[in-house]
Amino acid sequence: MMQFTETPPPPLHQISSFSNFTMNKNQIHRTRPWPGFPSSKSFASFGDANCMEQLLVHCANAIESNDATLAQQILWVLNNIAPPDGDSNQRLTCAFLRALITRAAKSGTCKMLAAMANAHCNLVVHNHKFSVIELASFVDLTPWHRFGFTAANAAILEAVDGCSVVHIVDFSLTHCMQIPTLIDAIANRFEGPPRLKLTVAGAAEDVPPMLDLSYEELGTKLVNFARSRNVMLEFRVIPSSYADGFASLIEQMRVQQLVYAESGEALVINCHMMLHYIPEETLNPSTTFSSLNPYSLEYYSSTSISLRSLFLKAIRSLEPTIVVLVDEDADLTANNLVCRLRSAFNYLWIPYDLVDTFLPRGSKQREWYEAAVCWKVENVIAHEGLQRVERLEPKSRWVQRMRNANFRGITFGEEAVSELKTMLDEHAAGWGLKKEEDDLVLTWKGHNAVFASAWVPAA
């Protein structure tokens, strides 16, 4: 079992397991395998998560300083202590090992590293393309997504109570897998179901999980499902990308805003683990935003603004009935590689730890699950610039962004909390639920995993 504390792990020289792990460059060139490193018989002493993290940190520093010899030595050790089929600590470390090798090979620091590690683990991460049935089953395996679905649906149902037309704009990583449950709940409304409109941002993004069908085909399936529940559903896809803050979708919504207002429809903005793909850097509007965002110039008066903040202000201008924001509670935005590595290592142990509780070794679903986590690790560690799209921000920063965009948080009702507790009872004992001000947080063994928050326009 992997346990972490809130305090960072001790420096390398304070970890007893490293007492024989010297990195004297005078020793390095004498013989092979690399003097100063432990023999294969003593690798067990490196099995502690903190020791593995320190090895990864030193390897990252070596790669960033173009020290190919030192990087190879550390990766040799990592190769021996972190098999891809080991325990959760070892599989986590193996994912970071792959990512560091990919980064080194891309930068030209240590081109022989890929060959060195190829025999140990396949460096190519293959992400499965799911059918709708496969994906629906897959996201139900753990509360990771179900938590957000349940919390969001409860908040949405309360917000649109009594409305005859409900328009949902779905920014979701899971390709509308939340919507069937919402349709079921709406269909059972005492006064009869409202007319539903569902707008999604259709884009060919290679971010897992991926579907094996088009959004138009997905829409047909959702419309048919709604019809089977006596709910009228209109489905619309607007080609739009997170790379520019979903600019084309927002612009179309703004053009039709007057029509929406006159029809009296409730506008729901549902954001499920998608907004952290919007670039978070503070950019210069005079050089960048004017080319990316047709809605941008109205929303800033300073010399620079974040595209994420710009997106939220554009959403606020639509006067939504409710905005639900669900995302993973971590900070993967640091420009410094080592800071990013530490933060990712101390968050992404959770999916590796919990997978042992619900999927057997060798199963296809486990392979798909861990491939998605490996993809995330590789994106965080091996890539930079526009290619590095996994840029999670912690809940506290999103709360501040929402407030700055003139939203105010609302509390989830007791019914939502009760539904969540019932749902968690269906899963492993390590899951927990806590309230932080107005928000709800899903935890694994006491560590924050996913948060859910609900917002309305401030007066």
Side-chain angles (χ1 to χ4, degrees):
M1 181 188 307
M2 191 180 307
Q3 295 290 340
F4 289 94
T5 62
E6 294 299 320
T7 57
L12 182 64
H13 67 275
Q14 292 181 11
I15 299 177
S16 58
S17 301
F18 282 89
S19 57
N20 295 321
F21 180 42
T22 59
M23 296 186 183
N24 187 323
K25 288 191 177 182
N26 293 327
Q27 291 181 311
I28 285 173
H29 300 290
R30 291 189 306 191
T31 59
R32 291 180 180 273
W34 303 292
F37 281 75
S39 66
S40 58
K41 294 180 180 179
S42 63
F43 281 139
S45 64
F46 285 82
D48 174 75
N50 282 345
C51 294
M52 290 181 173
E53 180 185 359
Q54 290 294 338
L55 280 168
L56 291 167
V57 165
H58 282 273
C59 183
N61 278 324
I63 290 171
E64 292 303 276
S65 61
N66 292 315
D67 191 336
T69 303
L70 181 57
Q72 286 173 212
Q73 291 182 49
I74 302 172
L75 286 166
W76 180 77
V77 175
L78 288 167
N79 244 351
N80 282 276
I81 65 173
D85 58 351
D87 63 26
S88 58
N89 285 356
Q90 291 170 321
R91 300 196 312 277
L92 171 69
T93 303
C94 180
F96 279 83
L97 165 64
R98 298 179 191 197
L100 285 171
I101 291 171
T102 301
R103 185 182 181 93
K106 284 177 59 177
S107 65
T109 303
C110 321
K111 289 188 177 179
M112 66 176 289
L113 293 181
M116 179 192 79
N118 252 339
H120 177 65
C121 55
N122 182 7
L123 296 181
V124 180
V125 177
H126 296 286
N127 275 301
H128 177 67
K129 286 198 171 184
F130 291 85
S131 70
V132 171
I133 293 174
E134 282 177 339
L135 184 56
S137 173
F138 188 74
V139 298
D140 275 349
L141 288 172
T142 80
W144 201 269
H145 292 293
R146 288 189 71 193
F147 162 79
F149 294 173
T150 305
N153 285 348
I156 291 168
L157 287 169
E158 185 174 344
V160 304
D161 186 35
C163 297
S164 60
V165 183
V166 177
H167 186 174
I168 302 167
V169 181
D170 194 33
F171 299 100
S172 174
L173 182 67
T174 55
H175 311 290
C176 303
M177 290 299 107
Q178 173 184 338
I179 301 303
T181 308
L182 182 60
I183 290 172
D184 266 335
I186 282 177
N188 294 324
R189 205 166 70 167
F190 177 76
E191 67 272 27
R195 183 159 61 94
L196 282 184
K197 297 181 179 181
L198 179 61
T199 298
V200 299
E205 315 284 10
D206 293 328
V207 175
M210 293 180 285
L211 277 180
D212 68 351
L213 75 167
S214 70
Y215 263 38
E216 288 74 17
E217 293 171 298
L218 175 64
T220 299
K221 291 180 181 294
L222 285 170
V223 168
N224 290 336
F225 175 80
R227 187 180 296 120
S228 74
R229 300 299 191 270
N230 296 315
V231 176
M232 189 194 328
L233 172 66
E234 298 175 25
F235 184 87
R236 179 172 62 150
V237 182
I238 299 178
S240 192
S241 172
Y242 57 69
D244 65 357
F246 302 103
S248 56
L249 187 152
I250 296 295
E251 184 62 17
Q252 287 206 34
M253 293 294 296
R254 289 184 65 201
V255 168
Q256 299 177 45
Q257 186 176 4
L258 183 60
V259 176
Y260 300 150
E262 290 178 347
S263 68
E265 67 183 37
L267 177 60
V268 174
I269 308 295
N270 186 59
C271 307
H272 183 90
M273 298 192 187
M274 182 56 77
L275 299 196
H276 71 259
Y277 293 104
I278 299 174
E280 99 288 354
E281 296 95 339
T282 299
L283 304 174
N284 186 322
S286 63
T287 59
T288 306
F289 280 1
S290 58
S291 63
L292 289 178
N293 293 280
Y295 59 82
S296 64
L297 296 178
E298 299 180 19
Y299 292 105
Y300 59 82
S301 56
S302 59
T303 57
S304 61
I305 191 171
S306 162
L307 188 54
R308 290 185 184 180
S309 296
L310 190 63
F311 170 83
L312 294 177
K313 289 184 177 182
I315 290 296
R316 174 63 181 83
S317 74
L318 299 175
E319 296 291 340
T321 304
I322 188 171
V323 176
V324 183
L325 174 57
V326 175
D327 218 322
E328 297 164 323
D329 196 4
D331 187 357
L332 304 183
T333 61
N335 289 325
N336 179 273
L337 174 63
V338 169
C339 292
R340 207 161 65 238
L341 185 152
R342 285 189 182 277
S343 184
F345 192 88
N346 284 279
Y347 178 69
L348 294 174
W349 70 272
I350 296 176
Y352 279 100
D353 191 50
L354 69 88
V355 72
D356 291 329
T357 67
F358 70 94
L359 286 176
R361 289 175 180 266
S363 73
K364 276 293 181 186
Q365 286 184 319
R366 183 173 177 133
E367 180 184 320
W368 301 339
Y369 179 91
E370 294 202 358
V373 184
C374 280
W375 184 92
K376 188 186 291 279
V377 172
E378 180 175 309
N379 191 267
V380 170
I381 300 302
H383 300 289
E384 295 292 352
L386 294 177
Q387 288 185 312
R388 180 163 64 85
V389 298
E390 279 289 345
R391 300 185 180 225
L392 291 171
E393 287 188 306
K395 179 176 76 72
S396 58
R397 203 174 300 163
W398 280 112
V399 166
Q400 193 57 53
R401 286 191 187 278
M402 293 297 289
R403 289 172 178 166
N404 290 345
N406 201 28
F407 286 100
R408 64 174 177 85
I410 57 174
T411 303
F412 289 89
E414 288 305 315
E415 187 173 337
V417 174
S418 177
E419 286 183 40
L420 285 167
K421 288 179 178 178
T422 300
M423 182 270 293
L424 292 180
D425 287 341
E426 301 172 13
H427 295 278
W431 293 107
L433 176 68
K434 66 180 181 180
K435 293 189 74 171
E436 291 184 354
E437 297 181 341
D438 294 326
D439 311 321
L440 297 176
V441 180
L442 176 70
T443 64
W444 174 253
K445 296 181 178 178
H447 297 265
N448 287 16
V450 179
F451 71 89
S453 60
W455 303 83
V456 296

